[in-house]
Amino acid sequence: LVLVGITGTNGKTTTSYVLASIFEAAGIRCGRIGTVGYRVGDREVEATRTTPEAPALHRLLREMVAKGSGACVLEASSHALALRRVDCLHFSAAIFTNLTRDHLDFHRDMEAYFLAKRRLFELLPPGGVGVINLDDRRGAALAAVAPRPVTYALDAPSDLRPGPLSLSLDGLAFEVRTPRGSLALRSSLVGRPNAYNILAAVGAAVALD
């Protein structure tokens, strides 16, 4: 099972849906675990929490394999990372969307919150892909941790960049420039935040072939 973990304050759910759709379009059945729900085979399961407790999580992944899934995208919450719910999973890639002020009722400060997010990249095996938003000020620190960093941004120099970005209420249209070539892309998702989410998903898909 090609397992991709997604962490960050905002954009995890949208990025997971976009990336899952890319796997499916490539003919790879893809499970999904996150805030909105869990997709296992053809079944949608109501989510009890963003990232389930470890025994439930392993059951879901095992059922995905049994039902023919070749990939899974997993939202890895800071709570789950701090509480070690995902410690024994074998991630092929990790995505970092951004870090903004949140969950300080659980994490004592922003540094502790960031360190929880960083654990996902520390769990990557040698050669594991870290897809990282360099427009976030914490991105460079994560790129230094990831075994194989792949960066994206709208403004900063990075591996994935958009060409001229067309924003309207009808959606997004832009060229994605990647190390493997350029893609002309159109989406009904709106706004700059979704341009980031799309770049993250494309970065992971390109890096994972």
Side-chain angles (χ1 to χ4, degrees):
L1 195 67
V2 175
L3 182 60
V4 180
I6 305 172
T7 197
T9 308
N10 310 111
K12 295 188 297 296
T13 299
T14 302
T15 302
S16 73
Y17 273 78
V18 174
L19 182 54
S21 75
I22 293 172
F23 276 117
E24 294 279 350
I28 301 167
R29 175 172 280 189
C30 186
R32 181 178 20 84
I33 295 172
T35 306
V36 174
Y38 311 146
R39 180 176 173 83
V40 183
D42 296 323
R43 184 167 64 100
E44 286 283 344
V45 181
E46 185 178 352
T48 53
R49 48 175 54 98
T50 297
T51 314
E53 297 287 349
L57 181 53
H58 281 265
R59 278 196 300 271
L60 287 168
L61 294 172
R62 181 67 189 88
E63 188 179 347
M64 288 177 193
V65 172
K67 295 194 171 176
S69 294
C72 174
V73 289
L74 163 71
E75 293 183 51
S77 70
S78 61
H79 293 70
L81 288 160
L83 296 171
R84 301 182 176 271
R85 293 180 200 155
V86 301
D87 272 23
C88 293
L89 299 181
H90 299 283
F91 290 99
S92 300
I95 295 173
F96 170 70
T97 59
N98 51 60
L99 193 79
T100 59
R101 191 175 179 85
D102 202 1
H103 301 307
L104 297 188
D105 57 327
F106 179 83
H107 305 285
R108 65 182 181 275
D109 53 33
M110 286 297 292
E111 187 62 23
Y113 183 32
F114 169 68
L115 291 176
K117 299 289 189 189
R118 192 178 74 178
R119 290 203 68 250
L120 181 60
F121 294 83
E122 294 168 344
L123 291 171
L124 287 171
V129 176
V131 183
I132 297 156
N133 176 8
L134 280 191
D135 281 344
D136 188 282
R137 68 184 187 89
R138 301 279 192 168
L142 291 179
V145 172
R148 185 180 152 208
V150 174
T151 59
Y152 68 96
L154 297 186
D155 301 317
S158 56
D159 297 318
L160 280 89
R161 289 284 305 277
L165 184 59
S166 172
L167 300 165
S168 74
L169 292 177
D170 294 324
L172 296 164
F174 58 100
E175 182 183 64
V176 184
R177 298 166 182 164
T178 84
R180 299 274 291 273
S182 296
L183 304 166
L185 190 146
R186 184 176 297 277
S187 172
S188 58
L189 297 173
V190 299
R192 277 175 63 93
N194 279 314
Y196 282 108
N197 297 333
I198 290 166
L199 283 174
V202 169
V206 168
L208 294 171
D209 294 323

